[in-house]
Amino acid sequence: MAINHDSLPRTPIAIESSEEIRTGTWRTLKPVIDRTNCSKCMICWKYCPDLAIEIREGEPYIDYDYCKGCGICANECPKKCISLNKQELE
Ligand code: SF4
Ligand code: SF4
């Protein structure tokens, strides 16, 4: 049975946003999704320990307000389409 990704929950952390868990730009590495190779498998969403990846209209989006830059999403992505870039100070 096909998964309706739009029916999956959005980031619970973001919904119940709390200043204590907001990372903002607090990270050394920033994951960026290359959408040209993304298969929309949502494995990144499944593995993100901070629930910082949201699904919008069937595509993953990283909520940088809650991403700590751990790189797990990039490591687990089977298409290797998440790169880790240096976080620029804002
Ligand atoms: S794990 Fe990779 S291919 Fe799968 S949805 Fe995430 S970015 Fe796309
Ligand atoms: S780098 Fe870590 S916290 Fe950020 S989206 Fe990927 S898995 Fe989640």
Side-chain angles (χ1 to χ4, degrees), residues 10-90:
R10 299 186 67 202
T11 57
I13 287 176
I15 291 168
E16 300 165 18
S17 61
S18 159
E19 287 305 311
E20 287 88 42
I21 56 173
R22 182 185 290 270
T23 57
T25 56
W26 180 90
R27 71 181 78 77
T28 55
L29 295 173
K30 181 177 183 178
V32 177
I33 299 172
D34 173 2
R35 298 192 181 283
T36 56
N37 290 325
C38 175
S39 65
K40 303 177 184 176
C41 66
M42 304 310 163
I43 287 176
C44 54
W45 171 83
K46 187 175 179 183
Y47 275 89
C48 175
D50 286 327
L51 305 176
I53 298 179
E54 294 183 345
I55 299 169
R56 295 185 211 149
E57 298 179 353
E59 292 196 34
Y61 284 85
I62 297 169
D63 185 340
Y64 293 111
D65 276 347
Y66 298 94
C67 166
K68 65 185 175 190
C70 66
I72 290 175
C73 55
N75 199 47
E76 296 297 334
C77 172
K79 302 289 280 184
K80 298 296 174 207
C81 60
I82 303 179
S83 56
L84 293 170
N85 301 335
K86 185 172 176 230
Q87 171 68 56
E88 301 296 337
L89 293 177
E90 294 175 4

